[in-house]
Amino acid sequence: MENILQGFQGALSLIFSGNREVYSIIGLSLSVSFISVVISMVISVPAGIVIGMKEFPLRKAVIMIINTLMGLPPVIAGLFVYLFLSRSGPLGYLGILHSPKAMIIAQVLLIVPIITGITMAAVKDRGTLVKNTAYTLGAERMQMLWILIKEFRTSIGSSLIAGYGRAISEVGAVMLVGGNIKGYTRVMTTAIVLETNMGNFDQAIAIGIVLLILFFLINIILQRVQGA
Amino acid sequence: MRVQVLDLIKEYDGVRVVDIEGLFFEEGRFHVLMGPNGSGKSTLLEIIAGLTKPEVGRVLYGDRQNDFASVRKRITLVMQRSYLFNTSVYNNIASGMNYRGINKSILRERVLKWAEALDLNLLLYRNVKTLSGGERQRVALARALALEPDLLLLDESTANLDPESIIIIEKVLKDFQRESGTTIIFVTHNVFQAKRLAESACLLMKGSVIEEGESKEFFNNPHSELTRGFLGGEIVY
Ligand SMILES: Nc1ncnc2c1ncn2[C@@H]1O[C@H](COP(=O)(O)OP(=O)(O)OP(=O)(O)O)[C@@H](O)[C@H]1O
Ligand SMILES: [Mg+2]
């Protein structure tokens, strides 16, 4: 009990004194996950719209794979990226294992199915109606895509936030491919694991508090977006 | 814009829902298309509007017998189950004009003009989610009319309206058609409405044309037993 109370005190002072290490860890977490979401969005939103609305061979199989990947255990994504990026792997020549880039790749792998899956489910029922309406009003292909994004902005927005939440809270994959290198690839989750193992509860709790607050914020935004 | 439907066959799951040898819609006229539920009226309009492709046959547009692609922007369809974009009434009416890149001041003028005509001016800045069924239907109509198309396809566009609104809209459509010379194809299974509106009429059953012709002839002196039955309300479905 003593431990925990002391930990909280230390944590608060770390947060409010603007401890540089803590802040850089938080900053890296936020930015890596943000970039991952942006990259995933560019891939997944159009993909979700196409898969949700178009008939094509093996569509059922593709949907099943996406739904399965939505719950992909992060360590598996990590392992996969690790094998590809390790020195002997097919992309080893890039030399980006244990860098933020590797972490972003792993996170993209985790988030793409989520954004794709949610977008796909959203457009499945009403997407064709929206598309046909836009078509009769004279919209071109690109305008149509934009109209669909606008009409399904709530679901798409939710999927982006859900993706961000998954990325920033994930530990297994970024640990594996990032390597938890201090000042370089150490993010909130991996820092918590490390500091806890080393008995530095102040730091672990401080970062834990920030992560928790962030999650509250994410959920508040999510509810706002969904108009709940 | 004149429309020629030639040797058209459309099937869904192996069932023929439209089967028309030839059907012509003359330019600048008010055509009414009638038929019982499931007779293929909506499907025919969707084919003419380029939303679905027939298995066989084709549709030619205008005097120069163009294909659909070259006249797409001069045609619009108000679907039976029309969809409004999740935004204000104003933005909905403006949407088609926006896609066509119509200049902002003309756009605004036309939105106001058609909102006025369809009695929507007090609702312009409301989100369409809060509108009643009849109001939504009028927004869909205003959105189509604002494009001032050469071919206007209307699929039961007054189905959910009260009698007073129906009369207003019929007048709006008639006036518009007279002033602009637009060709209108109007689907309804209300025989009384058809009589009020039609310059020429066509009866569709099981995907095929039973009878078509000048309004007078069609309603007063139908050739087919089936048409007489339909007009007299004797055919029960
Ligand atoms: N997308 C589709 N898939 C399968 N069958 C369809 C589809 N669209 C229409 N049909 C079938 O085609 C037939 C004609 O339908 P259509 O909607 O054209 O009839 P309609 O004359 O407009 O009827 P209503 O008066 O009820 O609107 C119906 O039997 C309908 O079930
Ligand atoms: Mg219909």
Side-chain angles (χ1 to χ4, degrees):
Chain A
M1 199 63 206
E2 195 86 336
N3 254 353
I4 297 176
L5 280 181
Q6 269 179 17
F8 264 102
Q9 272 175 9
L12 291 178
S13 75
L14 274 177
I15 293 170
F16 290 109
S17 66
N19 179 289
R20 185 169 293 172
E21 195 187 333
V22 170
Y23 276 78
S24 85
I25 288 171
I26 295 168
L28 187 70
S29 261
L30 294 176
S31 56
V32 163
S33 300
F34 181 77
I35 295 168
S36 302
V37 169
V38 171
I39 294 172
S40 305
M41 174 179 76
V42 173
I43 301 168
S44 300
V45 172
I49 287 175
V50 169
I51 297 168
M53 288 174 46
K54 278 232 155 68
E55 291 294 331
F56 54 88
L58 295 178
R59 176 165 178 263
K60 283 226 166 77
V62 170
I63 292 176
M64 202 190 73
I65 290 169
I66 290 166
N67 285 333
T68 308
L69 290 181
M70 280 173 87
L72 180 72
V75 261
I76 294 183
L79 176 64
F80 192 73
V81 175
Y82 188 98
L83 293 175
F84 264 76
L85 295 182
S86 66
R87 197 156 302 163
S88 54
L91 298 175
Y93 65 91
L94 293 173
I96 57 172
L97 189 65
H98 297 150
S99 77
K101 279 185 190 144
M103 291 155 63
I104 289 170
I105 294 173
Q107 289 189 350
V108 166
L109 221 54
L110 287 174
I111 312 172
V112 159
I114 293 180
I115 302 177
T116 310
I118 297 177
T119 305
M120 180 180 86
V123 299
K124 211 179 69 196
D125 293 332
R126 273 174 30 247
T128 306
L129 187 58
V130 175
K131 197 191 88 180
N132 284 349
T133 303
Y135 188 80
T136 60
L137 293 169
E140 302 289 348
R141 226 161 223 288
M142 272 310 173
Q143 288 174 323
M144 220 107 82
L145 180 64
W146 179 237
I147 294 162
L148 284 162
I149 291 173
K150 272 208 307 206
E151 285 309 291
F152 294 100
R153 57 188 177 262
T154 309
S155 306
I156 292 173
S158 305
S159 76
L160 298 182
I161 294 164
Y164 193 75
R166 176 145 157 110
I168 207 158
S169 63
E170 187 287 314
V171 53
V174 290
M175 186 74 102
L176 266 181
V177 305
N180 197 19
I181 301 162
K182 186 177 172 182
Y184 184 48
T185 59
R186 185 166 298 171
V187 289
M188 289 197 262
T189 51
T190 56
I192 292 175
V193 172
L194 182 78
E195 304 298 352
T196 308
N197 280 340
M198 299 200 324
N200 296 337
F201 296 117
D202 297 10
Q203 282 233 8
I205 294 172
I207 296 169
I209 289 172
V210 174
L211 195 54
L212 205 61
I213 292 172
L214 202 75
F215 250 85
F216 269 114
L217 288 178
I218 288 175
N219 273 300
I220 289 170
I221 298 171
L222 189 60
Q223 284 197 3
R224 272 283 170 90
V225 170
Q226 292 176 334
Chain B
M1 185 192 301
R2 190 152 87 106
V3 181
Q4 294 169 265
V5 176
L6 301 171
D7 293 315
L8 205 68
I9 294 177
K10 174 73 189 176
E11 294 180 348
Y12 280 120
D13 311 316
V15 180
R16 219 165 257 206
V17 299
V18 174
D19 186 350
I20 295 175
E21 257 180 55
L23 182 59
F24 305 103
F25 298 97
E26 288 310 323
E27 165 145 5
R29 307 201 79 196
F30 206 119
H31 301 269
V32 171
L33 190 58
M34 279 178 289
N37 292 135
S39 56
K41 306 181 296 293
S42 297
T43 307
L44 177 58
L45 285 199
E46 282 162 18
I47 293 169
I48 296 174
L51 286 179
T52 54
K53 292 223 156 33
E55 268 66 43
V56 182
R58 59 206 174 125
V59 181
L60 299 173
Y61 303 83
D63 292 333
R64 301 170 66 183
Q65 314 211 319
N66 287 304
D67 60 358
F68 179 73
S70 57
V71 292
R72 172 155 115 83
K73 304 231 164 165
R74 293 162 57 199
I75 300 175
T76 194
L77 160 69
V78 179
M79 291 186 281
Q80 187 168 7
R81 249 177 83 233
S82 64
Y83 177 86
L84 299 181
F85 301 117
N86 182 7
T87 172
S88 66
V89 170
Y90 186 103
N91 288 341
N92 264 281
I93 301 177
S95 56
M97 290 185 281
N98 269 323
Y99 309 150
R100 290 166 204 229
I102 286 176
N103 149 311
K104 283 279 177 236
S105 67
I106 296 178
L107 180 146
R108 190 178 164 74
E109 211 170 276
R110 282 212 210 157
V111 171
L112 298 179
K113 169 179 161 193
W114 291 106
E116 166 93 50
L118 292 167
D119 197 16
L120 293 164
N121 20 17
L122 295 177
L123 304 175
L124 274 177
Y125 300 101
R126 285 253 295 273
N127 185 292
V128 294
K129 271 189 188 161
T130 65
L131 301 183
S132 78
E135 288 163 348
R136 296 174 67 92
Q137 212 155 357
R138 281 182 303 178
V139 176
L141 264 177
R143 181 172 66 183
L145 285 165
L147 294 173
E148 306 192 346
D150 294 333
L151 175 62
L152 178 58
L153 309 166
L154 301 168
D155 198 348
E156 309 207 10
S157 291
T158 59
N160 295 319
L161 300 173
D162 59 56
E164 200 180 335
S165 310
I166 291 180
I167 298 302
I168 294 173
I169 284 170
E170 286 180 2
K171 183 169 184 319
V172 168
L173 291 175
K174 273 288 191 192
D175 290 347
F176 169 65
Q177 188 242 356
R178 201 175 317 107
E179 283 158 24
S180 63
T182 294
T183 308
I184 295 182
I185 306 177
F186 187 98
V187 165
T188 180
H189 34 219
N190 181 334
V191 175
F192 297 104
Q193 180 173 45
K195 273 186 189 167
R196 285 196 299 270
L197 292 174
E199 290 176 317
S200 48
C202 170
L203 176 65
L204 219 56
M205 279 186 187
K206 298 203 175 85
S208 297
V209 176
I210 300 298
E211 181 158 355
E212 51 135 347
E214 289 291 314
S215 176
K216 264 214 183 91
E217 185 78 2
F218 184 94
F219 290 106
N220 297 337
N221 201 2
H223 300 289
S224 161
E225 202 60 52
L226 289 168
T227 313
R228 274 196 287 274
F230 182 83
L231 295 177
E234 284 156 24
I235 295 179
V236 181
Y237 309 97

